[in-house]
Amino acid sequence: MPAQHRVAVIGLGVIGQRMLTNMPGHGRFEIVGGWDNNPAACAAAERQYPWLRIAASPEALIDDPGTDVVYIG
């Protein structure tokens, strides 16, 4: 099986939440973190996805060597 892609999700609104729901089921995507400029969106995503690591900033996700792909919703 090809390598798994480690994905950071920036933007945790409706589309970002869809990515959090659907990407892990694909088998080749691992969500490594998320961020949104709206604290309420971050809190909602943490409640919905307790495994999700919320980053301090988008730059923290982009610069993280554990991130292969950045999805911006």
Side-chain angles (χ1 to χ4, degrees), residues 8-66:
V9 178
I10 296 176
L12 300 173
V14 173
I15 300 302
Q17 295 247 347
R18 286 184 186 160
M19 295 299 112
L20 293 173
T21 297
N22 295 316
M23 278 189 178
H26 184 275
R28 292 189 55 202
F29 298 109
E30 173 191 358
I31 305 294
V32 295
W35 181 86
D36 197 289
N37 66 344
N38 181 343
C42 291
E46 282 183 304
R47 283 191 304 277
Q48 180 77 23
Y49 309 95
W51 48 264
L52 180 64
R53 176 181 64 92
I54 300 295
S57 68
E59 293 84 7
L61 290 170
I62 294 166
D63 294 339
D64 186 329

